[in-house]
Structures are given as structure tokens and as C-alpha cells.
Amino acid sequence: MINKKNFAVVGIVFSFILLFQSCKDPEITAAKAAVVTALNCSSATFSAAATGGTSYTATASVPYTGGNGVTYVAGSAVASSGVTGLTATLSAGTLTNGTGTASFVITGTPASAGTANFSIDLGGQSCMLALPVVASKASVATLTGTVAPATGTNGVAYMGTATISYTGGNGGTYDVSTASSTGVEGLTATLAAGTLANGSGSFIYTISGTPTSVGSAVFNLSLGGQTCTVSVVISASSTATAAKDTVVIVYAGTSATVSNAFQNDGVSVAVSGADVTVTSTNTTKEIVYLLSGTASKGSFKIYSEYKFNITMKGVSLTNSVGPAINIQSSKKATVNVVGINTLVDGATYATSKEDQKGTIFSEGQLSFAGSGTLNITGNNKHAIASDDYIFVSEAAIVIKSAVSDGIHANDYFAMDNGNLTITATGNGIEAEEGYVAINGGTIAINSVNDGITASYEGTDATITPYVQIKGGKITVTTTGDKGNAIKSEGYTSISTGDVITLTVSGKGSKGIKTGGDFTLTAGTVKITTSGAAYYDTADSDIAAPSGINCDKNLAIKGGNLTISSTGTGAKGITADGTATVSGGTTNISATGTKFTYNSSTTSEAKGFKSDGAFTITNGELNIAATDDGIKSETSITINNGSIVNITKSTEGIESKTITFEGGITNITSSNDGVNASMGTVTGGTETNDGSNVFINGGILIVTGSDGIDSNGNLTITGGTTIIGGPSSQPEEGVDVNGNFLVNGGFLISGGSNARMTKAMTASSTQVGMYITSSAQVATSSVLHIEDASGKDLVTFKPKNANYYFHFSSSNLTKGAQYKLYFGGSYTGGSFVGGSSGWGLYNGGTYSNSGATLKSTTTTSSSATVNTITF
């Protein structure tokens, strides 16, 4: 017997278990995505041959390799190109572990002979499926048809024929033809191969299968260049009994029939025409409401005090005065999608005191599952809307259009699997007061405003808006001004193994806009912006497009990121906080022209800009920009393990403090390659402004009008610095306003004869040479320096024809003799750091044959800086 003390303990434990379970959120647990390593369309086989102008239904078997054994849902219909008139749809299935075959059902009527091409995908891979379509040998003038029997019963096997009469037959042969029913699905019409008569005649299709709903099973039968339509009327079964745990609702035109197994258990169903309203006070069972059939003026509305399930099985509802599905319950609704379903709402809703914000509207939580397809048209506002959260675990949802948002959740939106295709005039997916968490599946969005957004801008500290992508293939296209493919008022993180493709074209639009931190850990992210900058009078500022715009700190830890920004004033990446690159490969192209509102308000195409410190440690960064390659208002640090290639820029790297600790940095610029400055001074200045360039390690290869321009100081203590300066402009290889200290490392720099440069600062601790010549070293020639024993200290091929040089190396010593040559030849070896066509030779052999010995000089026995003139 349990005493009071034990009973209390049990009660506490039980309460704790309930509390723990209530805190769990299984809805956003990441489901393992289906993955293949290759999809082989070229080896696909087809169950039947296709003939132009002839009804066609067949299965394409497409081999794959590298399957991971995961179940996948049916795909959306993919329309054919080339030869039009066909669609291919992935059938649901389970991948094998390794090599297997996926099935795609192809239906329709090919418009002509040729090749029907389908862009199909599965498991993160895609390929082009090509179906040969032969020319028809048959030709007729007219087709008419009749069906016997003309009626069938829902859920009961049907067997019949369609007799098709024709005129104008040409005596040609025809192949097997197959057509699937539309409207009511489940039936197939098949014609055996045969030969037309010359003139009039007939042929017979055999129809068989089991109807899946009530309504009309329609066949569009094509042969010999003509088409006729026949149909079988499918009625509800008079002998069928209702499922014991299901309320069955069958729509038929302007009416609906109901089988209510819970009429004595708190469930009442009211029917007015084809408008069905359920009121449920049952709180003990998750009741299933099974919807099927077609209604041109119908709807489903529910009030429920307990969570419930809506199963859509071949239902088509159009409600011209309100939502097609109207859930006036705060309890969780699970929508199970089976077969092909269609929902359409009205452009104008009847007046109501209740919320009704979309084609599917729910006051409570809304969860989608199933292997079928749900087609939705939102004529009034949103296509799918919930005043709670929306979760997609599977199913294919096709939002053909939405006046406002495709999917709008008051709380969060989460997706683990399935397929979403959204076309919306507003946002694609919006979580108004919550977050967006995508763990798998496929999403394709075409929107005018934001594609995916966590939009909360309120003051409730308990709400953290964010966008988190851990899986899923995502494609977003936005076209509106200031539209964002992905936008979060909080942080944004991406750590997916799939591909994310973002395309924005509106003025001031952005690929990713985040009000908090941005983190990329894994995945392939491709961002294209083509919109231009413009002056936003509401903000009194320029709205400039960018690939990524981050209001706080940005971190790229892995993955492959590619950004192409072509619009006027467009940026690659901008961050208001710090920017850190520690892995992955990042490619940025920002090639738009400068946008000017007035002389003091402009926007230029920069590659990577941060207001805080910019640091790269490991990873690869490739930039081509019309203006700055990398700019930080604070500091820039390049560490060991990094690869930075700036192939086009006005100024390659610009900040107050620039530090090279390691890695390989290769910069091409039209102005300053490396520019340290505390800020712009009108008219320029030649005084030390306190900015700094530190070269402590790595390989730095830079070319520009000024290779390195420090308005403050330049200090070299290590690494290899190779500079290709101009040939004749009043610019330099090295231009330093303050101290120019070489205390270690290796330096070779060439520049013009403008003499705006100067030698290293006398307090430098490593021996160096400042060389000036009255004649240029041509780009086809070299500067070579060797010691008295003939040891090669430097062989340098200039980027441009140069007059002066800086050279310093740990191999230079005080009081030693050296020979300086112009010309000669170098065989073998390569350029240090992989520079192209110019730079520091290494690993080969120098020959002074044909060279000119310009100077034999002995370095100072006391000073470290030696000025050599010839």
C-alpha cells in the first residue's frame, strides 16, 4: 500500500516527467536528409516509347550511386522543355545504401517529335533527363469518344472501355498509348498498338483501376494530332461504412456528404451546400477528418477543443468568399497530404469577426505531413497562415501564387523534409514573432519582398528572431526594391550540406540581411545581386545592394560561398561588427560602378567591408572589386594558413592597422595595393597619421600605383614581400609617410622614377639596399643581385618597367661586396607565391650571359641602409 509520503514523491516525479516532455520540441528535430552522390540521367530507361501528339504515361527509371538509405517524399511536377506537353514527377521511395534506381512518372501529350528534357533532382544531385519522342505515323482529322460504363464508385475497382471514333485516318500505324485520369485519380486508359483505316474508323482504350475520390475521372486522349476528352462519373459508395476513427467528408460539385463516426461523442458537422463546419468538444481522441472530392464553391471549417488531423486525399476546394480551410481552433492541427490536392480562396472574403488570413488559416499550431502534393492559390492574402507555429515534416506543397506571403507564421516556422515551391507577391516564408529553422527538404521561392524572413522588430526580450539552416536545398529569387532573399532581425547561421542559391534583383536588395551575427559553417551558398543602389528618402541614406549585410559580427568558418554583385554601388559583404574568416572558400565579385547621390553621398562596389576588425585565419578568400577589395574601419589581420587573392581593385586592402602574420596574399590594384590610413584628409597629407602596416610573416605579392602606401608607418620583421610598382606615374612601389623599418624578412620592390619614395629608415636593423637607376629594367628583363661568390640573392622580374628598387634580406651583410645586373636569363624554377608573369624567381638557375653589370658595390660596414645609384 502506498503511504502519503510515497504518493507525494511519485506525484513530484510524474510532474517532472510531464514538464520535461512539454518542454521538448520534436517538431524541429532535424530529420536525416536523403543523399546520393550522383544521379545518372544518361543511363535512364523508360517503360514505354513516346510519340508526338499521342497520350503518354510511363515510368523513367534513373540510376543513382551513393544512396544513404533514407526515405524520400514524392516530388513536384517538372515540366518538359524542348518538346513540351509532358511533366515528370518523382515517386516517393527509399534510397538503397549505395547504388539504386529512382522512379519518375512522366505523363501528358508531347507536342511534337524531338527530345523532351526534364531538369530532375534527388538527394542533392540533379541531371537532365532526356526522353526521345518519335514522330507519329498516324494522322486523323477528328476524334470523338464515349465511355462504358459511364459511372463508377469511389474505392471500388472499375473496368471499362473508351471507344474513340475518328475521321480522316491516313492508314498509318500507331504505338501503345497510355493516359492517367485527372480530377479523380486512380484510373488508367491504355490503347494497344494498331493501324488506322483510310478514312473513318475507331479504336478502343481499356480503362481500369480504383477511383480515389468522388467526382469526375477525366481522360484527355490524344492520337494522330487530335485530342478528345472523356470522363467517368465517380459517386460515393452506398454500401461503404465509415472508418471507426474518422469523420469522412466527400465533396461533389456544390454539395458534400458526411459520415460521422463521432456524432455521439462530441462532434457535430453542419453542411450548407459544399461548406462543411465541424464543432468538436471531444477531448479524448485525435480525430481524423478525411477530405476528398471536388467542390467549386466549398470549404472546410473546424472548431475543436482538442488536437486533430485533417487528411486531404484527392480533395479540391475553391471558396470564393473565404478560406478553403479555416481552422478556428488553438489546438494543434496535423495536415496529412495524400495524392493530389488543390485549395483556392476568394479575392474578397465575406465579413467575419474571426481571423481568416489565408487559403489555409489556423488559430493554432499547423503541421504538414504525408507523401502527396498540395497545390494552393492565395487570392486574398497569405496562402498558408497560422497564429501559432507552422511545421513541415514532409509532403510537397506548391503555392502557385499568394497576394501577400506564401507561408506566414505568427510564431516560428520549421521544416525537416518535404518540398516547398512558393510564388508570392509578398514574402515567401515569414515568422512574424519567432524564428525560422530549416533542417532538410527542398525549398524554391520566387517572391517580390523577402524570401525567408524572421521579421520580429518588437521589444519583447523573450523573443529571439533568427534564421537557422542546418539542411535542405534552398533556392530563392526576389525582385522587389530592398527585398532580401534571407532576412533575420536576429542572428543567421548556415551549416548545411546542401546548396543554397539566392538571386536578388531589386534596387537596394540583399542576398542575406541579418540584424545580429552571421555564421557560415558548412554548405554551398551562391548569391547573385543585380539591383542598383538608390537614395532612400525615407531613411535619408543610400540603400546599397550586397551579397551579405550583417549588422553585428560575421564569421565564415567553412563551406563554399560565392557572391556576384553587378549592380551600381553593390557590395560583396558588409559587416558593422567584426569579420572573421577561419575556413572554407569565399569568392566575391563586386563589379558595379560607383553610385553618386551628391558629392558627399556615394556608394562604391567594395568586395569585403567591416567596421570592426577583419581577421582571416585559414580558408581561402578570392575578391574582384571595382573599389576596395578588403576594407576595415579598425584593422585587418592575415594569419598563417590563409590564402587571399584580390585580382581586381582600386585599393586592395585598406585599414588603420594592417598586419600580415602568415599565409599567401596576392593583390592587384589600380591605386594602392595595401593602404594604411587613419582617414581621408582633404587634399592629402605627407605627414605621419599614426596608421601602420606590419609584415611579420607569410608571402605578400602586391601590385598597384602604390604597392604599399602607409600614411603612417611600415614595419617588416618577417615573411616575403614582393611589390610590382608603376613604370612612370608619380606613384611608388613603397610610399611611407612615417617610419619605414625593415628588421627582418625578405623585401623586393620596384617602382617608377618619380622619386616620391624614400629609402628605408636608418634605424632598420636588417641590411637593405635602396637602388635608383637612370634606365628602366624592362618587363621582359630582370634585376639580379649576387654576392662576391656568385650566390644568387635575388632575381626579380618586374611587373612594369621600373627605375628604383628596395631590397632587403637576411643574407645581406655589412661590409660585403655585391654585383647588380640588369638582364640575363633564368631557367627552371617558378615565381614565389604563384604570381603570374612577374615576381621573385626561386628554384632555378640565373645566367648573366647578355646581362649588364650595373654596379659592383660594397655595403656599409656600419649602416644598414645602402643607397645605390647608377
Side-chain angles (χ1 to χ4, degrees):
M1 182 174 183
I2 301 176
N3 59 34
K4 292 182 178 180
K5 181 178 180 180
N6 290 336
F7 185 82
V9 171
V10 171
I12 292 171
V13 172
F14 183 70
S15 298
F16 175 80
I17 292 172
L18 289 177
L19 178 61
F20 175 79
Q21 291 296 326
S22 68
C23 292
K24 291 174 67 178
D25 194 357
E27 300 295 275
I28 60 172
T29 301
K32 188 176 182 181
V35 173
V36 300
T37 58
L39 192 61
N40 187 6
C41 281
S42 62
S43 298
T45 59
F46 302 94
S47 62
T51 302
T54 302
S55 301
Y56 182 74
T57 297
T59 299
S61 299
V62 183
Y64 60 81
T65 57
N68 66 344
V70 171
T71 298
Y72 55 91
V73 299
S76 301
V78 177
S80 60
S81 60
V83 172
T84 59
L86 299 169
T87 60
T89 304
L90 173 66
S91 300
T94 301
L95 295 174
T96 58
N97 286 301
T99 301
T101 302
S103 296
F104 290 80
V105 176
I106 302 177
T107 61
T109 300
S112 62
T115 302
N117 298 303
F118 306 88
S119 180
I120 62 173
D121 60 72
L122 172 66
Q125 302 297 322
S126 60
C127 63
M128 187 65 70
L129 179 64
L131 170 67
V133 181
V134 299
S136 175
K137 297 178 182 178
S139 175
V140 299
T142 64
L143 287 180
T144 57
T146 59
V147 177
T151 61
T153 303
N154 179 30
V156 178
Y158 173 91
M159 180 64 72
T161 59
T163 301
I164 309 299
S165 300
Y166 61 85
T167 63
N170 68 341
T173 60
Y174 52 87
D175 296 322
V176 172
S177 174
T178 305
S180 299
S181 61
T182 61
V184 173
E185 298 181 318
L187 301 181
T188 302
T190 304
L191 172 67
T195 303
L196 293 174
N198 285 303
S200 299
S202 64
F203 48 82
I204 296 175
Y205 277 89
T206 299
I207 302 176
S208 61
T210 301
T212 60
S213 61
V214 173
S216 294
V218 178
F219 298 91
N220 294 304
L221 304 176
S222 300
L223 190 143
Q226 301 297 324
T227 300
C228 71
T229 300
V230 297
S231 61
V232 180
V233 177
I234 306 300
S235 60
S237 172
S238 60
T239 59
T241 57
K244 293 182 179 180
D245 59 349
T246 303
V247 176
V248 178
I249 301 168
V250 179
Y251 294 89
T254 58
S255 64
T257 58
V258 178
S259 296
N260 183 3
F262 295 92
Q263 60 185 350
N264 297 321
D265 297 305
V267 178
S268 63
V269 182
V271 179
S272 176
D275 293 319
V276 178
T277 302
V278 173
T279 302
S280 174
T281 58
N282 189 306
T283 58
T284 62
K285 185 174 181 61
E286 187 172 346
I287 296 171
V288 176
Y289 299 91
L290 175 60
L291 313 183
S292 64
T294 301
S296 57
K297 293 182 179 180
S299 64
F300 177 80
K301 185 176 185 179
I302 184 169
Y303 302 87
S304 179
E305 297 180 10
Y306 195 71
K307 60 184 179 178
F308 55 92
N309 179 298
I310 299 174
T311 295
M312 299 182 186
K313 189 175 182 180
V315 68
S316 178
L317 294 180
T318 298
N319 184 7
S320 61
V321 294
I325 304 291
N326 190 347
I327 302 171
Q328 292 295 318
S329 169
S330 61
K331 304 304 179 180
K332 178 182 175 182
T334 299
V335 179
N336 185 26
V337 182
V338 180
I340 308 298
N341 304 270
T342 301
L343 302 175
V344 181
D345 69 347
T348 303
Y349 286 2
T351 302
S352 174
K353 294 181 180 179
E354 298 174 334
D355 281 345
Q356 40 185 21
K357 302 173 183 176
T359 311
I360 298 180
F361 171 71
S362 177
E363 289 282 357
Q365 305 146 10
L366 197 53
S367 179
F368 290 89
S371 60
T373 299
L374 175 58
N375 299 297
I376 306 174
T377 299
N379 290 316
N380 179 270
K381 196 173 184 181
H382 311 309
I384 301 174
S386 168
D387 279 348
D388 207 293
Y389 70 70
I390 296 174
F391 172 64
V392 179
S393 64
E394 52 183 356
I397 300 174
V398 180
I399 296 174
K400 295 185 174 182
S401 66
V403 171
S404 187
D405 300 340
I407 295 178
H408 187 101
N410 186 69
D411 199 342
Y412 68 76
F413 171 84
M415 181 172 176
D416 278 357
N417 213 330
N419 293 273
L420 285 180
T421 303
I422 299 173
T423 300
T425 305
N427 302 316
I429 299 171
E430 179 175 7
E432 187 176 349
E433 296 184 4
Y435 57 84
V436 176
I438 301 171
N439 299 313
T442 300
I443 299 176
I445 296 173
N446 193 318
S447 65
V448 175
N449 293 332
D450 299 333
I452 299 171
T453 178
S455 59
Y456 183 67
E457 294 182 342
T459 58
D460 188 344
T462 64
I463 297 175
T464 303
Y466 63 82
V467 174
Q468 184 178 75
I469 302 173
K470 292 184 177 181
K473 179 182 178 182
I474 300 172
T475 303
V476 178
T477 301
T478 62
T479 58
D481 294 350
K482 296 185 77 172
N484 309 283
I486 297 175
K487 179 182 179 182
S488 171
E489 292 298 333
Y491 69 82
T492 301
S493 67
I494 299 174
S495 57
T496 177
D498 295 307
V499 177
I500 298 175
T501 304
L502 311 176
T503 305
V504 295
S505 58
K507 292 188 297 183
S509 57
K510 296 169 176 64
I512 298 176
K513 168 65 178 176
T514 180
D517 296 342
F518 172 82
T519 305
L520 172 63
T521 304
T524 298
V525 181
K526 302 175 183 179
I527 303 174
T528 302
T529 74
S530 58
Y534 75 103
Y535 189 79
D536 188 340
T537 55
D539 295 339
S540 299
D541 198 5
I542 292 175
S546 63
I548 299 176
N549 181 275
C550 174
D551 290 348
K552 291 189 177 179
N553 301 319
L554 179 143
I556 300 173
K557 299 179 179 181
N560 291 278
L561 171 63
T562 300
I563 297 174
S564 174
S565 295
T566 58
T568 302
K571 310 290 193 297
I573 297 176
T574 62
D576 292 348
T578 62
T580 304
V581 179
S582 58
T585 299
T586 300
N587 302 297
I588 300 173
S589 174
T591 56
T593 58
K594 180 179 180 180
F595 172 80
T596 300
Y597 177 69
N598 56 42
S599 59
S600 60
T601 308
T602 63
S603 177
E604 296 172 307
K606 302 182 188 296
F608 204 138
K609 181 182 181 299
S610 66
D611 289 345
F614 172 94
T615 305
I616 178 169
T617 303
N618 295 319
E620 181 175 343
L621 177 57
N622 303 300
I623 297 176
T626 302
D627 193 51
D628 297 338
I630 303 173
K631 181 173 183 178
S632 168
E633 301 295 341
T634 305
S635 65
I636 295 173
T637 303
I638 298 176
N639 288 308
N640 194 33
S642 307
I643 298 175
V644 177
N645 294 307
I646 300 176
T647 58
K648 176 186 176 182
S649 63
T650 300
E651 297 200 340
I653 294 178
E654 181 178 6
S655 189
K656 297 174 181 178
T657 301
I658 303 171
T659 304
F660 298 90
E661 293 287 354
I664 300 174
T665 304
N666 198 325
I667 302 170
T668 298
S669 65
S670 60
N671 192 12
D672 299 334
V674 177
N675 181 25
S677 173
M678 297 300 290
T680 302
V681 177
T682 303
T685 178
E686 293 301 318
T687 62
N688 188 343
D689 69 355
S691 58
N692 283 283
V693 176
F694 298 105
I695 303 175
N696 301 324
I699 298 173
L700 172 62
I701 305 168
V702 57
T703 178
S705 292
D706 284 349
I708 296 179
D709 183 354
S710 177
N711 292 341
N713 308 296
L714 169 61
T715 304
I716 302 176
T717 62
T720 299
T721 304
I722 306 165
I723 301 173
S727 57
S728 60
Q729 303 100 316
E731 306 289 347
E732 303 81 49
V734 179
D735 181 13
V736 182
N737 292 352
N739 293 317
F740 177 9
L741 296 172
V742 181
N743 299 331
F746 186 101
L747 167 66
I748 180 64
S749 169
S752 72
N753 64 350
R755 299 294 180 89
M756 290 178 67
T757 190
K758 59 185 178 183
M760 303 82 157
T761 302
S763 58
S764 297
T765 60
Q766 180 169 282
V767 175
M769 296 179 179
Y770 174 49
I771 305 166
T772 63
S773 171
S774 60
Q776 289 179 317
V777 176
T779 57
S780 59
S781 187
V782 297
L783 165 68
H784 173 79
I785 302 175
E786 62 184 43
D787 64 14
S789 67
K791 179 182 178 182
D792 186 352
L793 298 184
V794 61
T795 302
F796 174 68
K797 186 177 186 295
K799 169 72 173 177
N800 300 298
N802 292 154
Y803 288 93
Y804 76 84
F805 304 88
H806 292 94
F807 172 56
S808 181
S809 166
S810 60
N811 290 325
L812 282 175
T813 60
K814 295 178 180 180
Q817 188 182 83
Y818 298 94
K819 294 180 180 180
L820 285 72
Y821 291 91
F822 280 8
S825 61
Y826 199 88
T827 57
S830 59
F831 292 116
V832 172
S835 60
S836 178
W838 73 280
L840 175 64
Y841 278 115
N842 181 55
T845 303
Y846 173 77
S847 171
N848 61 15
S849 176
T852 301
L853 178 61
K854 287 290 186 176
S855 176
T856 300
T857 187
T858 301
T859 55
S860 170
S861 60
S862 58
T864 56
V865 180
N866 300 269
T867 300
I868 302 169
T869 304
F870 47 80

